[in-house]
Amino acid sequence: MDKKLNLKVILHSKRANIYYLEKCRVMLKDNRVTYLTSIADTNNFYNIPIANTTVLLLGTGTSITQAAVRYLSSAGVAIGFCGSNGTPLFAGSEIEFINSKSEYRETKYVQNWLSFWYEDSIRLQAAKKFQNNRIDFIKKVWQKDPQIRDKILYPNEALFDENVSKFSKSIEKAINVNELLLSEATFTKKLYSICASSLRIRNFVRDRESLDSINIHLNHGNYLAYGLASVALWVLGIPPAFALFHGKTRRGALVFDVADLIKDAIVLPLAFLSDEDNFNDDSFREKCIECFSDYSVLDYMINNIKNVCDDYSIKNREM
């Protein structure tokens, strides 16, 4: 019989660790969640500090025991089964992670979210708010991060400002979600072009099935962002099926919406820079996680969701 788990709780928004593991076994050992690797017939155990972990991605050649899942669940760690290097995600449908089934979270956020979700016009306003905040975060990171600023932003700053301005205007003019999605796709393509031009990368095409390093790192970084978005929604008790603009019929689509708040600001430029710096997958993952921590992206996601709940709930609109 395991001893009672007694963790010093760290708020999810302040947790620092995201793990991607492959070719190992995750298990419980001495009332600690560990992973076991075998090298040259030697077994090596490593602790996973679950109280300070948000997401655990299990890649190829991994297994996990029921006891380990129970402990991870009690600590509120999201678990995802995936292919090599974090993509694609296999667990669940669409972008879905295995989250703790704790029923002791606050209900006010899901109630406020659902109070406006069925009104198309209000949901469109909330989606526009997300997109405007996305722009603000891109500008903040691209102007602050020295490598992104000097190597990507400054060489094409005028073009960047022009496209940000166009996207802002198209957000304001959009009369439905489809128009907003089209504007968003166009803007992201422009960011790809700016990054490729600044770093003198020719003929780049975004292709999720491509095996070039930039596309692989974009996929990988995006799935890390999806993991954090899933955690943010779990913390607030909002089901990921209630999307703002990525498709109401896609289970888990709200994860895309929330991840978009930070993907273009961090993952996109780092994927291009990683090609220039010849980063391998591990180095790129470490750089992404470091930036996620530096810019408090989980805090940013959670606060954005909270603000939408507060601003658009029927209760607050009637006041």
Side-chain angles (χ1 to χ4, degrees), residues 206-226:
R206 175 64 174 129
D207 181 358
R208 290 167 180 79
E209 304 300 322
S210 176
L211 297 179
D212 68 274
S213 64
I214 296 176
N215 275 297
I216 289 173
H217 288 157
L218 282 169
N219 291 343
H220 189 175
N222 287 347
Y223 274 84
L224 294 176
Y226 297 148

Side-chain angles (χ1 to χ4, degrees), residues 244-284:
L244 291 179
F245 57 95
H246 265 110
K248 292 192 297 181
T249 60
R250 300 182 69 179
R251 182 184 176 189
L254 183 53
V255 170
F256 287 102
D257 295 349
V258 176
D260 271 1
L261 289 165
I262 61 99
K263 276 168 45 185
D264 290 349
I266 294 176
V267 175
L268 191 155
L270 289 186
F272 281 87
L273 289 168
S274 71
D275 181 73
E276 182 184 62
D277 295 335
N278 294 317
F279 279 179
N280 60 23
D281 296 326
D282 290 341
S283 298
F284 174 72

Side-chain angles (χ1 to χ4, degrees), residues 268-312:
L268 191 155
L270 289 186
F272 281 87
L273 289 168
S274 71
D275 181 73
E276 182 184 62
D277 295 335
N278 294 317
F279 279 179
N280 60 23
D281 296 326
D282 290 341
S283 298
F284 174 72
R285 185 186 310 115
E286 289 173 6
K287 184 62 177 178
C288 271
I289 294 172
E290 178 186 332
C291 283
F292 289 164
S293 178
D294 289 345
Y295 293 101
S296 303
V297 297
L298 192 53
D299 250 344
Y300 187 70
M301 290 176 175
I302 291 172
N303 287 333
N304 270 275
I305 299 168
K306 283 183 176 181
N307 289 339
V308 165
C309 287
D310 291 339
D311 292 346
Y312 298 105

